[in-house]
Amino acid sequence: MRAGLLLSLVAVLLPALFVHAQNKPPEVKINYFQNLPAKLYFFDDATYVAYHDIVEGDLFISSDEGKNWNRAGDIPKGDTAMFVEHPFNNRMAFVLTRGTTHYRTEDRGQTWRPFEMPIPPSYVARPLAFHSDPAKYGYILYQGTKCEREGGWSSICHDETYYTTQAFADQPQMLLSETSQCSFAHSSKDFKHDAHSDLIYCVAFDSTSSTGYHSVSSSRIFSSTDFFVNEKRLEDLGASGRGARGVVAFAIVSKFAVVALKDLSQGAGSDMLLYVSVDARTWAQARFPHASSARLRENAYTIVESTTHSLAVDVVLTDGGAVGTLFVSNSNGTFFVESLKDTNRNEMGFIDYETLYGIEGVGLANIVSNAQDVDGRNAPKQLKTLITFDDGSSWSSLRAPSEDSEGRRINCNPADTDTCSLHLHSVTIPHNFGRIFSSPAPGLVMGVGSIGATLRPYEESDTFLSIDAGVTWSMVRRDAHKYEFGDQGSIIVAVNDEEVVDAVSYSTDLGKTWKTLDLGVRLRARALSTVQDSTSQKFLLLGQLSRQDASSEGRFTAVFLDFAPTRSRKCGDSDFERWNARTMKNKECLMGHTQWYRRRKPGADCYVGEKFSDPVEHEENCACQDEDYECDYNFVRHGDQCVPVGPEPIPAGICKTPEQTYKGSSGYRIIPGNTCDRNKGVKKDELIDKKCSQAQPEEGNIIHQTFEFPAQTVQFAYFKDSTTILVRLADSSIWQSSNEGYTWNRLFPEETFLAFFHHTFTSDRAYLITDSRKFYYTTDTGRTWNPHTAETPPNTFGVQVLHFHPENSDWIIWTGDEDCGSGSGTTCHATAHFSRDNGRRWTFVEKYVRNCVWARDKGLLVDPSQILCESYRDKTGSQRFFQMGSNPMQLVGGSDFYNKKTKIFNEIVGFTKFSEYLIVAEFLPAQRSLDLQVSLDGHTFATGQFPPSLRPEQHAYTVLESSTDSVFLHMTTSEPPRPYWGDILKSNWNGTYFGTTIVNVNRDRRGFVDFEKMIGLDGIALVNVVSNPSQASLTGHKELQTRVTHNDGGTWKALIPPKYDSHGQQYECRSAACALHVHGYTERYDPRATFSSPSVVGLIMAVGNVGEKLAPYTESDTFLSRDAGFTWEEVHKDAHLWEFGDSGSILVMANDEEPTDHVLFSTDEGTNWREYRFTDEKMRVRSIVTVPSDTSRRFILFGTYARSFATVAVHIDFSSLTSIMCKLDVDDPGHDDFELWSPSEERSERCLFGRQTLYHRRRRDRNCVVGNQPKAKETIVKNCVCTSFDFECEFNHVRDADGKCVLVEGTQPLPNDDSCRAGAQYWYERTPYRRIPHSSCEDGERPDQGPRHLCPGIAAHGPFFWLFVLIIPFAFTALVAMWYYKRSGLATGTIRLPGDGRPKFGASDAGVVDTLASVPWFVIGVAGVAYEAVAGWLRSAALGMRTRRGYRNVPVDEDAQILRFADEEE
């Protein structure tokens, strides 16, 4: 009995003792160091670790994963400048010193042997380059810097490259001099090719330099297969044998060899070229799709982490540089398609983009959701995280967990991914060694981030884990943590990264539960790491101690953590499961195949123990599905379709006639690297039959495409800077074309649309307004459309539904109907709401309004949150029956998003914003009159002063424009029963004093005026005046004449007629009264058909006639001016519509008097015209349109056939007329395709607005394509001496018959202004003249200056005072700048190559890349260096200090003081 009891106790106690034995605590050991390591390196598949203290210059080695450390005793103390591991031999590493004696190890750092080199290493990221062939691991290239002292402090240096074939055990030999980078062609295991095993590429200069500096044009790429002993081949990269010049860098990226070049062609500016090879023999230039406008520019693209089947390049498409666009290539790296817009990048070129280790096709990226605001207005970035499961073909938000780490519900709805998704901090701000999110542990992904609409700061973030490769996520720890995986993911370690800690957390069940390990020391975590393949249970935590806790051995710790004691049982087969990589759609197929790993079950209490054995991937191919395809080259995705960006290029000779067919792309291709089985699934990439008329024609040919809409067009407009156009029809449908009218598709056929609006300030946004509360929006120029709901349906009061903010793209105001129902309604009124998230949530503004807008404008820099409303005083009844006087309409301004309301005016007729002016028409009930009120700050107003006969209370008026520091206003002086006309008034610079500039200017009943300014040239305008006002008042028939001004309304004159017509005949009218007269704004079918174009300065086209008055439109001909209206020529008989294309290199016209079957086009600005027939059935053309910038060679004709009222759209493509690109050379303007032109009247000095300005424009006789190449900016050569053209009449003065300014009878001149502006020494009494505000003339005639008077203050100081105040500090600054310039190394352009985080020291011209970015080549002036030096010294002192600025006084004329708001963002 006792024996049985004893056996039972033993049976019970033994398992308990066994469990107790296996649950030992982890082992902790602390080692102390003087500094954090510049590099912490775990030798691959080994327990050895290297710790490089760059401050002390020492190297420490651990043979047991960081438990014990010893200094590398074979290396003299303080000599270790750089530690370089051999990337292909895990036993070998090198230590480079600052001298010529270096060290190598072949036993992972246990012993080190010295070797000598002739010169010290170059100051680049990796001075050593290695061979990837196991038989040639001893083949190494060494880049060093050789300097020769010039005398004094300076030296002349250049780089040289040496080679060794025995890992420096032999005598290294010179490879090449004047190099900046050399690499073996076999330097990547992924770059597989059959090139010679000793092939070497070198980026080097083709000449020596006596100064140490080279021009970029002398940088070439050389190759050799015998270490440049007998063979030195100049690689031309397929550049027709001329040899590639301007080579910036060479790199092996995955399976691709990549070369970056500076484009040295004329007019290239900062453009870069990218050449790619997959076989080390043939090179091809990388091509980007037309629709993206992608150009590689200096310091503006980065080759990011790429796969073995495609190359990924992030390109900056805007000038800001803070936002990029990700492109992914085809399998040979030459043709790219757009993958993701608005990627986040930092100033060093690093991109928030990382692929998940071991899971094909899956990657994480951060985009800038407010990219337009960041690039255009320097707003803070708002980041969103997206994930792709198909290698960048499509992206989606990260699904947020529904609970936090403590099981509580999160405060948003994860189903709404716009406002409630997960966002993670990424590559641009790393917080640990190695990869950011993943490790070799299959499917495990961790990150620090937040849940919401956008990413919160790191210090406000938490730690998240996904165990299914990013499909689902859980919050595992509060606060930001550093984290690491071990034992193939069976153990996860995390340490708080926000505060000082004395413990770490760890989990052995994939994050479900966590335990705490006491470290025995308080530290601030700096890094957490383990062996490279995450198969060990040992970790190394680097930390920093406080001063109080610092040890005598050092203030920095390397804490060794061993979790092996926590589990004694090794996992068996039953402890593992098959884990399949899945996408969010819950499909196991990824990149055309299933992918699965053998992974430990989460609940298994065991360790994997397969140290240094990577998880084995298993693949099985799937049948091809839709998601396995992407858009082919030159196709873009719109919705779920891939549409062409234009005609498809085809090989020559395939098409003989347009009626033939050819096999062309379907628009789809299998995603590069996708292995799906086409025989078992859909075949979306099969070639399809296409008409030859749809193919890109051979050079010299033109093509067209016709599309008949089902109804008449009532609205159409392009997205700015895009090839996408929207069209609204009379049947309430909206159509879209993404390729300039080549193809069309209807948007949301089930909806009834009332209008669409393009965002006024953000070019890629638009809004489709339905007849209900629902509306659609796009933020990517129509690629995708998303629905939102407003609080009210759109208003029916004729008021614009949407208003936009100039700086915050998501801030919109909606004005809609309320209580209107199907009928009028007794309380029907308009109500305004605003949204700060692009319509997701709305906030009430005001009811019974006519209009509500943001007060801020591009030039009107008022409170960004202020809203202005035209609001009715009595908010009862039906707004439809309100009349002026019965219910006053007030102007109310509300700051803080209308929470703090202020009534600005009791009653107004309306208001408008122009440039920096806010102009209000105030109604004065007592006087039954109007006052014009002007403000520059939205708060303080000044009453506009007018000539006595032209008070606004007596007349209707139209505000015309204000681009030249003045407001132009048309005041109606004749109205029914007489015909409409009036006078144009122009204000002084602050918009308060108005004087007549020209009388009897024509207008129509809508208030439109025959007034138009030249686009691109300030101060030039055309008007039509009524020449018979007395007779017209009686007969009702106006006779019009055209006038032009070239000095902003200072003087007007008739247009000089050409001597001969387009047939070479003289005009019948030859008297002095004969002039050219043109039809103006009031007669246009499309008001956007302007005289001039923004893309070609000085060019004007118009319809008119030569005579004493303007003839009827159908009796007119077509004229052109190339010099801004100074001289004219008739280019064709009859009235024509016209459009400018490709910056004026092509002009297109269509008859505007009758139906036609052809267009006329000219490639020499109207000298010669050719005809192109586009239809067999004649069409009445109503409009010719092209992209808003007029830079395309594709046009759309909108018109109708006689048989139908429905609109026909004809796409005409002139792109193949020539393929020759125009060349622009700013430095040598006489030998390119452009001319320097300045507007003039054939005067001796070519001046306009007091300055001589030169513009580049294409020469008339050059048949070439301007394209989207950057235009050279206008150059102000000099300010000119003042002449009479720089002055206009002062307030209350007009020009008499002799052209002199005289005081209007019965008026008084303005009093003198004795204020001294901008530190002037004198003030002058007023005269009848004032200088045109926009003029910058100097000296010469000054009729605006009367007797002068000395200003009080510092003007009496003599020349010696100014010598010491000004000259001496500048001399001192120049000396400081020169010293800093010499010392800083800024004398040489640097190569920034992402992938290396270390700064460049010294002045070498070399660099080595793992990830490639372009190179800035620039010259820094002394003044710029001085500024950088001072800014660097003072930056720390400026932290936390901010100048508070509010309003500042602006000197204005007496009785018109206006305060200008000095915005914080200036």
Side-chain angles (χ1 to χ4, degrees):
M1 185 68 179
R2 289 180 179 177
L5 179 61
L6 181 60
L7 287 174
S8 299
L9 287 172
V10 170
V12 171
L13 290 174
L14 276 177
L17 291 171
F18 181 74
V19 170
H20 179 72
Q22 71 177 355
N23 287 338
K24 292 181 180 179
E27 181 182 353
V28 178
K29 184 178 181 183
I30 303 172
N31 292 282
Y32 295 91
F33 291 89
Q34 294 295 325
N35 302 284
L36 286 173
K39 188 169 191 176
L40 183 72
Y41 178 73
F42 285 80
F43 285 83
D44 192 26
D45 292 342
T47 61
Y48 288 80
V49 191
Y51 185 115
H52 178 205
D53 182 347
I54 197 171
V55 178
E56 298 293 330
D58 289 331
L59 181 70
F60 298 89
I61 300 293
S62 171
S63 61
D64 49 12
E65 299 180 59
K67 184 176 183 179
N68 299 287
W69 294 90
N70 295 291
R71 193 182 71 80
D74 297 331
I75 305 172
K77 190 174 179 58
D79 275 8
T80 304
M82 181 178 289
F83 172 85
V84 183
E85 73 280 2
H86 196 301
F88 309 110
N89 185 339
N90 67 355
R91 300 186 60 85
M92 190 175 290
F94 304 87
V95 163
L96 302 182
T97 70
R98 292 177 176 82
T100 57
T101 302
H102 312 294
Y103 301 87
R104 68 167 190 157
T105 180
E106 295 180 275
D107 54 11
R108 303 189 179 99
Q110 296 182 75
T111 59
W112 295 85
R113 290 188 291 173
F115 63 92
E116 295 291 329
M117 294 299 297
I119 56 176
S122 176
Y123 285 103
V124 294
R126 297 182 69 87
L128 303 183
F130 301 90
H131 203 294
S132 61
D133 186 347
K136 296 190 174 184
Y137 283 163
Y139 282 46
I140 303 172
L141 305 179
Y142 171 96
Q143 185 169 326
T145 299
K146 183 176 182 179
C147 293
E148 297 176 358
R149 187 167 297 278
E150 189 179 25
W153 291 350
S154 61
S155 298
I156 297 176
C157 302
H158 67 272
D159 279 12
E160 297 178 348
T161 300
Y162 288 77
Y163 71 93
T164 173
T165 60
Q166 299 180 31
F168 300 105
D170 56 352
Q171 181 63 42
Q173 302 296 316
M174 167 76 81
L175 181 74
L176 204 60
S177 184
E178 299 286 352
T179 58
S180 58
Q181 177 191 351
C182 289
S183 299
F184 289 103
H186 295 268
S187 60
S188 167
K189 292 182 177 179
D190 293 326
F191 187 39
K192 299 173 182 177
H193 52 86
D194 56 2
H196 193 285
S197 61
D198 291 341
L199 177 61
I200 295 174
Y201 289 106
C202 280
V203 179
F205 300 102
D206 59 9
S207 61
T208 59
S209 171
S210 61
T211 63
Y213 304 106
H214 294 269
S215 66
V216 66
S217 62
S218 65
S219 181
R220 307 287 200 103
I221 184 166
F222 300 92
S223 65
S224 176
T225 57
D226 64 356
F227 300 100
F228 292 98
V229 175
N230 297 309
E231 181 189 26
K232 183 180 180 181
R233 187 171 62 251
L234 179 62
E235 294 287 338
D236 62 11
L237 305 181
S240 303
R242 66 173 183 236
R245 291 183 175 272
V247 177
V248 172
F250 169 88
I252 304 294
V253 182
S254 185
K255 74 168 187 178
F256 307 95
V258 182
V259 176
L261 290 87
K262 179 88 164 62
D263 189 350
L264 300 178
S265 61
Q266 291 183 345
S270 61
D271 284 7
M272 304 289 290
L273 302 174
L274 192 68
Y275 283 83
V276 182
S277 175
V278 293
D279 58 9
R281 289 193 307 273
T282 58
W283 297 85
Q285 184 179 346
R287 304 282 182 183
F288 291 83
H290 298 310
S292 69
S293 300
R295 290 173 28 254
L296 303 182
R297 293 177 291 175
E298 289 179 276
N299 209 29
Y301 71 95
T302 303
I303 296 182
V304 299
E305 184 180 22
S306 302
T307 66
T308 57
H309 43 75
S310 63
L311 193 62
V313 180
D314 190 84
V315 182
V316 176
L317 301 184
T318 59
D319 294 332
V323 181
T325 299
L326 184 67
F327 293 88
V328 178
S329 78
N330 59 353
S331 57
N332 63 11
T334 54
F335 293 108
F336 285 79
V337 293
E338 185 178 299
S339 172
L340 185 63
K341 285 194 67 173
D342 302 331
T343 50
N344 183 46
R345 54 189 292 135
N346 62 18
E347 64 278 1
M348 295 183 293
F350 289 103
I351 316 300
D352 274 348
Y353 172 78
E354 183 179 286
T355 58
L356 297 193
Y357 186 95
I359 310 296
E360 285 192 50
V362 183
L364 293 165
N366 282 348
I367 62 167
V368 182
S369 63
N370 61 334
Q372 289 281 340
D373 296 331
V374 171
D375 271 333
R377 306 171 189 109
N378 208 24
K381 290 182 179 179
Q382 298 176 10
L383 302 184
K384 289 178 173 285
T385 299
L386 301 178
I387 190 169
T388 178
F389 293 95
D390 50 17
D391 209 27
S393 291
S394 62
W395 296 82
S396 54
S397 299
L398 288 185
R399 186 184 304 168
S402 57
E403 297 179 345
D404 64 13
S405 59
E406 298 171 2
R408 295 175 298 197
R409 299 284 300 179
I410 61 172
N411 57 4
C412 62
N413 180 13
D416 181 6
T417 56
D418 285 337
T419 60
C420 189
S421 56
L422 177 61
H423 312 285
L424 302 173
H425 291 273
S426 186
V427 178
T428 55
I429 309 178
H431 289 269
N432 202 5
F433 289 127
R435 304 183 70 84
I436 302 296
F437 302 116
S438 62
S439 77
L444 300 189
V445 189
M446 287 189 77
V448 172
S450 61
I451 298 173
T454 56
L455 179 63
R456 297 174 67 87
Y458 187 81
E459 295 76 15
E460 300 176 20
S461 298
D462 302 305
T463 306
F464 297 84
L465 170 68
S466 172
I467 63 173
D468 51 14
V471 177
T472 60
W473 294 80
S474 60
M475 183 191 297
V476 292
R477 308 299 295 166
R478 279 283 183 188
D479 299 332
H481 283 66
K482 297 184 189 299
Y483 47 84
E484 188 58 271
F485 303 95
D487 195 37
Q488 293 190 13
S490 75
I491 186 163
I492 305 172
V493 180
V495 57
N496 193 296
D497 197 23
E498 295 186 22
E499 58 190 19
V500 175
V501 298
D502 58 5
V504 298
S505 302
Y506 66 97
S507 173
T508 57
D509 53 8
L510 299 187
K512 292 183 178 179
T513 61
W514 292 82
K515 300 175 184 177
T516 300
L517 172 62
D518 190 348
L519 298 175
V521 64
R522 288 175 53 81
L523 54 81
R524 182 71 167 85
R526 296 304 183 194
L528 179 63
S529 189
T530 185
V531 297
Q532 294 187 34
D533 55 12
S534 295
T535 56
S536 173
Q537 300 184 71
K538 299 176 176 63
F539 298 79
L540 196 58
L541 172 65
L542 303 183
Q544 182 175 356
L545 306 176
S546 66
R547 292 182 180 178
Q548 294 78 9
D549 297 334
S551 165
S552 59
E553 302 175 60
R555 189 179 170 185
F556 299 91
T557 64
V559 183
F560 171 77
L561 306 174
D562 186 1
F563 293 90
T566 61
R567 298 167 298 178
S568 60
R569 186 174 71 87
K570 191 175 186 304
C571 297
D573 290 341
S574 61
D575 295 308
F576 289 92
E577 63 182 357
R578 171 172 168 161
W579 175 78
N580 296 285
R582 301 173 185 269
T583 68
M584 281 190 174
K585 298 177 183 177
N586 204 30
K587 293 183 178 180
E588 293 185 1
C589 289
L590 197 71
M591 291 298 291
H593 53 258
T594 59
Q595 190 178 13
W596 62 274
Y597 289 90
R598 184 170 174 264
R599 191 170 76 176
R600 196 203 67 158
K601 296 177 180 177
D605 187 15
C606 59
Y607 66 93
V608 176
E610 298 176 7
K611 200 167 185 178
F612 305 132
S613 296
D614 293 340
V616 178
E617 176 197 358
H618 305 270
E619 294 182 3
E620 298 171 4
N621 290 339
C622 308
C624 289
Q625 303 296 324
D626 286 346
E627 55 266 29
D628 295 313
Y629 294 88
E630 65 183 6
C631 292
D632 202 354
Y633 178 66
N634 263 350
F635 287 76
V636 293
R637 185 172 294 278
H638 277 268
D640 58 353
Q641 298 293 319
C642 289
V643 298
V645 298
E648 183 177 8
I650 61 173
I654 289 182
C655 286
K656 303 296 184 183
T657 64
E659 293 75 23
Q660 284 183 289
T661 61
Y662 71 97
K663 290 290 186 180
S665 172
S666 65
Y668 298 89
R669 66 174 185 179
I670 290 183
I671 299 169
N674 190 296
T675 62
C676 71
D677 188 344
R678 293 177 71 256
N679 296 322
K680 296 181 181 179
V682 296
K683 301 177 181 179
K684 297 183 70 172
D685 60 341
E686 285 195 331
L687 299 179
I688 60 176
D689 289 325
K690 294 184 177 182
K691 292 182 178 179
C692 285
S693 59
Q694 298 177 358
Q696 181 174 305
E698 296 182 6
E699 186 166 350
N701 292 339
I702 305 167
I703 62 170
H704 71 273
Q705 192 84 358
T706 302
F707 183 84
E708 294 190 42
F709 290 106
Q712 191 173 13
T713 58
V714 293
Q715 183 186 7
F716 60 85
Y718 269 98
F719 285 87
K720 185 180 178 183
D721 305 322
S722 171
T723 59
T724 300
I725 184 173
L726 297 176
V727 169
R728 180 169 62 90
L729 304 183
D731 63 3
S732 301
S733 65
I734 287 183
W735 297 72
Q736 175 177 306
S737 172
S738 61
N739 44 30
E740 301 175 76
Y742 185 69
T743 59
W744 295 89
N745 63 289
R746 183 175 178 179
L747 300 177
F748 310 105
E750 71 280 3
E751 300 286 0
T752 299
F753 291 104
L754 302 181
F756 66 80
F757 295 95
H758 285 287
H759 198 295
T760 312
F761 306 100
T762 305
S763 60
D764 56 4
R765 297 192 178 201
Y767 302 80
L768 313 181
I769 311 300
T770 72
D771 59 351
S772 65
R773 293 168 53 201
K774 188 177 184 180
F775 68 95
Y776 294 84
Y777 74 93
T778 179
T779 58
D780 55 9
T781 60
R783 288 181 177 84
T784 57
W785 292 92
N786 304 290
H788 269 335
T789 303
E791 292 295 301
T792 57
N795 74 82
T796 54
F797 293 92
V799 177
Q800 184 169 320
V801 177
L802 282 172
H803 287 280
F804 307 100
H805 198 280
E807 296 177 349
N808 297 284
S809 301
D810 284 345
W811 294 11
I812 56 178
I813 295 176
W814 174 285
T815 305
D817 277 352
E818 191 160 346
D819 298 337
C820 294
S822 58
S824 59
T826 58
T827 59
C828 175
H829 62 274
T831 300
H833 293 79
F834 78 87
S835 172
R836 284 187 283 177
D837 53 12
N838 204 34
R840 295 181 182 88
R841 292 179 294 271
W842 295 93
T843 302
F844 173 76
V845 177
E846 188 62 278
K847 62 181 180 179
Y848 284 92
V849 298
R850 191 178 74 171
N851 197 22
C852 285
V853 302
W854 300 103
R856 196 173 181 92
D857 212 327
K858 280 188 174 180
L860 186 63
L861 302 180
V862 301
D863 178 2
S865 68
Q866 184 180 6
I867 297 174
L868 295 175
C869 284
E870 297 172 338
S871 177
Y872 289 100
R873 183 191 66 191
D874 305 327
K875 300 186 182 301
T876 58
S878 174
Q879 187 174 326
R880 297 193 188 281
F881 303 109
F882 290 172
Q883 295 182 354
M884 188 173 178
S886 63
N887 187 1
M889 186 169 64
Q890 302 172 334
L891 181 63
V892 180
S895 60
D896 190 22
F897 302 101
Y898 216 71
N899 286 320
K900 302 174 182 177
K901 293 189 289 185
T902 302
K903 183 173 64 178
I904 302 174
F905 292 103
N906 288 322
E907 188 166 1
I908 65 169
V909 175
F911 74 91
T912 186
K913 296 181 295 178
F914 272 90
S915 187
E916 68 265 39
Y917 304 102
L918 174 60
I919 303 172
V920 180
E922 181 189 18
F923 180 69
L924 305 175
Q927 294 84 9
R928 302 294 298 171
S929 65
L930 292 177
D931 259 348
L932 194 73
Q933 302 286 346
V934 183
S935 176
L936 297 175
D937 65 0
H939 297 285
T940 307
F941 288 80
T943 304
Q945 303 296 314
F946 294 85
S949 61
L950 292 173
R951 294 285 303 158
E953 67 265 20
Q954 301 166 355
H955 309 280
Y957 65 89
T958 302
V959 180
L960 299 175
E961 68 94 52
S962 59
S963 63
T964 51
D965 305 319
S966 299
V967 176
F968 279 81
L969 191 76
H970 183 275
M971 192 77 70
T972 301
T973 58
S974 174
E975 51 193 2
R978 298 179 300 176
Y980 285 106
W981 66 76
D983 296 352
I984 290 182
L985 308 178
K986 181 188 176 186
S987 77
N988 62 340
W989 70 274
N990 57 37
T992 54
Y993 289 105
F994 288 82
T996 302
T997 177
I998 189 169
V999 299
N1000 300 334
V1001 178
N1002 184 48
R1003 60 153 282 196
D1004 63 13
R1005 59 182 178 80
R1006 301 169 297 175
F1008 294 153
V1009 181
D1010 274 347
F1011 171 92
E1012 182 173 325
K1013 281 205 168 185
M1014 273 285 295
I1015 301 173
L1017 283 175
D1018 291 334
I1020 301 177
L1022 293 168
V1023 299
N1024 280 341
V1025 299
V1026 179
S1027 62
N1028 64 333
S1030 299
Q1031 294 178 350
S1033 299
L1034 300 175
T1035 64
H1037 175 68
K1038 295 183 285 188
E1039 293 182 354
L1040 303 182
Q1041 296 179 344
T1042 300
R1043 298 289 185 266
V1044 64
T1045 179
H1046 288 92
N1047 59 353
D1048 209 35
T1051 56
W1052 297 84
K1053 64 177 185 178
L1055 294 179
I1056 300 174
K1059 292 182 179 180
Y1060 304 97
D1061 66 8
S1062 56
H1063 293 163
Q1065 304 297 316
Q1066 287 190 340
Y1067 290 99
E1068 294 180 2
C1069 184
R1070 302 175 189 174
S1071 68
C1074 293
L1076 174 64
H1077 309 286
V1078 298
H1079 293 269
Y1081 191 85
T1082 58
E1083 298 182 70
R1084 288 184 189 147
Y1085 176 82
D1086 183 359
R1088 293 169 293 186
T1090 54
F1091 288 135
S1092 53
S1093 165
S1095 68
V1096 51
V1097 64
L1099 194 65
I1100 308 176
M1101 290 191 71
V1103 171
N1105 64 282
V1106 174
E1108 296 184 4
K1109 62 181 180 181
L1110 183 63
Y1113 188 80
T1114 54
E1115 299 176 15
S1116 300
D1117 302 311
T1118 307
F1119 293 83
L1120 178 144
S1121 171
R1122 298 189 70 251
D1123 54 10
F1126 288 111
T1127 62
W1128 292 80
E1129 58 189 275
E1130 182 185 298
V1131 293
H1132 212 280
K1133 292 295 183 182
D1134 299 332
H1136 285 75
L1137 298 171
W1138 67 87
E1139 186 55 273
F1140 306 90
D1142 189 35
S1143 302
S1145 75
I1146 186 166
L1147 308 180
V1148 177
M1149 294 196 309
N1151 192 296
D1152 196 25
E1153 296 184 8
E1154 60 186 6
T1156 183
D1157 59 0
H1158 66 273
V1159 294
L1160 300 169
F1161 67 95
S1162 172
T1163 57
D1164 51 17
E1165 296 181 7
T1167 302
N1168 297 286
W1169 293 89
R1170 288 181 280 173
E1171 181 179 303
Y1172 177 71
R1173 190 163 179 258
F1174 61 86
T1175 179
D1176 294 328
E1177 182 181 2
K1178 288 192 175 183
M1179 182 177 104
R1180 184 65 170 94
V1181 179
R1182 293 298 183 183
S1183 296
I1184 307 176
V1185 298
T1186 185
V1187 295
S1189 59
D1190 291 349
T1191 55
S1192 173
R1193 287 194 158 213
R1194 294 172 178 145
F1195 301 82
I1196 306 174
L1197 309 184
F1198 286 114
T1200 55
Y1201 294 131
R1203 56 180 164 81
S1204 171
F1205 290 106
T1207 296
V1208 179
V1210 181
H1211 165 94
I1212 305 182
D1213 189 351
F1214 296 90
S1215 301
S1216 294
L1217 276 178
T1218 179
S1219 60
I1220 301 172
M1221 295 297 297
C1222 296
K1223 296 179 180 179
L1224 171 63
D1225 188 348
V1226 179
D1227 299 324
D1228 187 16
H1231 298 84
D1232 59 7
D1233 295 316
F1234 291 80
E1235 63 182 356
L1236 283 172
W1237 173 81
S1238 176
S1240 74
E1241 291 181 285
E1242 305 303 326
R1243 298 193 296 267
S1244 58
E1245 278 195 289
R1246 297 189 168 192
C1247 298
L1248 187 66
F1249 280 116
R1251 50 190 173 268
Q1252 181 182 352
T1253 307
L1254 298 179
Y1255 300 85
H1256 282 82
R1257 66 180 189 182
R1258 193 200 66 144
R1259 297 178 187 268
R1260 191 173 194 176
D1261 60 351
R1262 301 300 171 89
N1263 185 19
C1264 57
V1265 179
V1266 179
N1268 288 318
Q1269 61 177 303
K1271 310 296 188 299
K1273 293 184 178 180
E1274 62 270 17
T1275 302
I1276 298 177
V1277 178
K1278 65 176 180 178
N1279 285 335
C1280 305
V1281 296
C1282 296
T1283 68
S1284 59
F1285 290 99
D1286 296 300
F1287 300 91
E1288 60 191 5
C1289 293
E1290 182 57 276
F1291 180 68
N1292 277 345
H1293 292 73
V1294 294
R1295 292 190 184 270
D1296 62 11
D1298 296 327
K1300 296 180 179 180
C1301 292
V1302 295
L1303 186 66
V1304 176
E1305 186 176 352
T1307 65
Q1308 296 292 325
L1310 291 174
N1312 290 320
D1313 178 10
D1314 59 359
S1315 62
C1316 294
R1317 304 177 185 177
Q1321 296 186 34
Y1322 303 96
W1323 66 271
Y1324 297 85
E1325 294 182 14
R1326 289 189 192 273
T1327 73
Y1329 297 87
R1330 66 186 180 196
R1331 190 167 71 170
I1332 295 172
H1334 207 57
S1335 176
S1336 61
C1337 69
E1338 300 171 343
D1339 304 323
E1341 299 180 31
R1342 292 306 302 262
D1344 62 324
Q1345 294 180 349
R1348 73 179 186 181
H1349 302 272
L1350 188 66
C1351 289
I1354 62 175
H1357 286 296
F1360 285 103
F1361 170 82
W1362 295 113
L1363 173 67
F1364 281 93
V1365 169
L1366 297 176
I1367 305 301
I1368 300 303
F1370 275 106
F1372 175 74
T1373 301
L1375 289 174
V1376 171
M1378 185 58 71
W1379 174 84
Y1380 188 79
Y1381 183 70
K1382 291 283 190 179
R1383 294 282 292 172
S1384 65
L1386 289 173
T1388 305
T1390 57
I1391 297 180
R1392 177 65 194 93
L1393 302 169
D1396 164 58
R1398 301 178 185 82
K1400 175 185 169 99
F1401 302 100
S1404 170
D1405 286 316
V1408 181
V1409 292
D1410 295 315
T1411 305
L1412 180 68
S1414 63
V1415 182
W1417 292 83
F1418 51 83
V1419 177
I1420 300 178
V1422 169
V1425 177
Y1427 170 78
E1428 291 297 332
V1430 173
W1433 296 332
L1434 299 183
R1435 189 172 291 116
S1436 60
L1439 292 176
M1441 300 177 65
R1442 181 181 179 137
T1443 303
R1444 183 176 180 82
R1445 295 181 290 172
Y1447 296 92
R1448 69 173 184 266
N1449 283 319
V1450 176
V1452 295
D1453 298 315
E1454 189 176 357
D1455 302 324
Q1457 290 292 325
I1458 295 180
L1459 299 176
R1460 182 188 290 269
F1461 185 79
D1463 186 73
E1464 291 287 351
E1465 298 175 14
E1466 287 186 340

